[in-house]
């Protein structure tokens, strides 16, 4: 299904897919909310129906602050047995609904909340759609003392891993860890890749979302919002 429209700016496309995601929010149920600029548009849209939901489970400090500022109740993930839907963006998404996420450094909490949800609805613009994952540098949250060892594992795969920096020092995640950004990989088998990297000591979370893949992608295109089902 495509919603026809004139050409849009990237910011307008983000607002369109954020609005379209409201259709997947189940009235009376808690919603899982991701992180990022596209999700911020969804949070703004969610505020217009906040009286229809008991609250949200958030994947980052930034999203929690935005939700609370708009008067949406935020629950801890430990308080929730399951979610009907988790709505989040992606840095890349392929034709099977497998994604690379973590450009905003919230991948661990995003994966935790996604794992609570029956359905993952990805909201993204058309530039995020790829044939094979790997053009976007793969984020991997790591325990700092293991960073060099993990970087060597990726080197053996043909990848180049670098610690993500911020203001001249390693970026520290909401969980107090560091992130490796890995370039030069082509991830043709995301499920097997995610399972393998998960086993390496010191890996907190790899930014391949294959075991928690998208069920639906609302893709912002120059013609409007395209709905992809997986």
């Amino acid at each position: 299904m495509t919603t026809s429209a004139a050409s849009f700016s990237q910011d307008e496309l983000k607002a369109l897919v954020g609005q379209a995601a409201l259709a997947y929010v189940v009235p009376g149920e808690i919603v899982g909310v991701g992180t990022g600029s596209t999700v911020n548009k969804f949070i703004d849209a969610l505020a217009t129906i906040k009286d229809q939901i008991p609250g949200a489970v958030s994947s980052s400090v930034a999203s929690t602050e935005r939700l609370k500022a708009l008067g949406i109740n935020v629950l801890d993930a430990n308080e929730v047995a399951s979610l009907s839907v988790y709505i989040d963006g992606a840095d890349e998404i392929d034709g099977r609904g497998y994604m690379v996420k973590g450009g905003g450094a919230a991948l661990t909490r995003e994966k935790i909340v996604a794992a609570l949800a029956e359905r993952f609805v990805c909201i993204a613009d058309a530039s995020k759609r790829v044939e094979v994952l790997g053009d976007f540098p793969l984020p991997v949250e790591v325990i700092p003392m293991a960073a060099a060892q993990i970087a060597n594992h990726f080197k053996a795969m043909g990848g180049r891993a670098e610690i993500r920096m911020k203001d001249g020092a390693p970026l520290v995640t909401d969980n107090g860890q560091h992130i490796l950004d890995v370039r030069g990989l082509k991830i043709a088998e995301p499920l097997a890749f995610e399972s393998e990297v998960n086993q390496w000591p010191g890996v907190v979370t790899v930014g391949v979302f294959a075991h928690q893949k998208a069920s639906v992608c609302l893709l912002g295109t120059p013609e409007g919002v395209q709905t992809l089902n997986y």
Side-chain angles (χ1 to χ4, degrees):
M1 181 186 75
T2 302
T3 304
S4 295
S7 292
F8 298 99
S9 69
Q10 190 173 40
D11 197 58
E12 288 169 331
L13 287 174
K14 289 177 179 181
L16 275 178
V17 296
Q19 186 71 35
L22 289 182
Y24 294 85
V25 175
V26 181
E29 295 196 14
I30 299 160
V31 60
V33 176
T35 304
S37 57
T38 307
V39 172
N40 285 341
K41 301 292 189 183
F42 167 66
I43 293 173
D44 294 346
L46 188 64
T48 67
I49 62 163
K50 63 186 179 184
D51 295 338
Q52 298 178 32
I53 58 168
V57 174
S58 163
S59 69
S60 71
V61 172
S63 288
T64 294
E65 290 174 350
R66 193 179 190 94
L67 287 159
K68 287 181 173 179
L70 291 168
I72 298 169
N73 184 36
V74 178
L75 295 93
D76 188 281
N78 288 306
E79 301 176 71
V80 178
S82 66
L83 299 166
S84 56
V85 67
Y86 175 62
I87 295 170
D88 199 0
D91 297 304
E92 290 184 327
I93 183 165
D94 72 9
R96 296 172 288 180
Y98 298 139
M99 297 167 287
V100 165
K101 293 175 48 55
L107 61 161
T108 296
R109 296 189 185 193
E110 288 171 350
K111 197 170 277 193
I112 289 167
V113 183
L116 282 171
E118 295 170 22
R119 173 186 257 189
F120 189 133
V121 175
C122 175
I123 51 177
D125 65 77
S127 68
K128 308 300 171 57
R129 175 74 172 80
V130 298
E131 291 303 313
V132 180
L133 302 177
D135 285 344
F136 188 90
L138 173 68
V140 186
E141 186 163 353
V142 301
I143 293 170
M145 72 176 288
Q149 182 184 144
I150 294 164
N152 284 333
H153 283 310
F154 283 118
K155 186 176 181 181
M157 288 182 164
R160 304 181 308 281
E162 296 179 346
I163 292 283
R164 188 181 301 180
M165 306 294 285
K166 182 179 180 181
D167 301 327
L171 178 145
V172 178
T173 69
D174 287 349
N175 311 306
Q177 311 300 342
H178 292 172
I179 287 184
L180 287 173
D181 288 313
V182 188
R183 292 168 173 82
L185 297 176
K186 286 294 181 186
I187 306 168
E189 299 296 337
L191 275 168
F193 180 91
E194 182 183 2
S195 294
E196 178 182 349
V197 177
N198 278 340
Q199 303 305 312
W200 297 349
V203 169
V204 179
T205 303
V206 57
V208 171
F209 281 58
H211 292 283
Q212 277 78 41
K213 77 182 193 77
S215 307
V216 178
C217 180
L218 302 177
L219 201 67
T221 76
E223 291 76 39
V225 179
Q226 183 180 6
T227 302
L228 307 173
N229 292 287
Y230 306 106

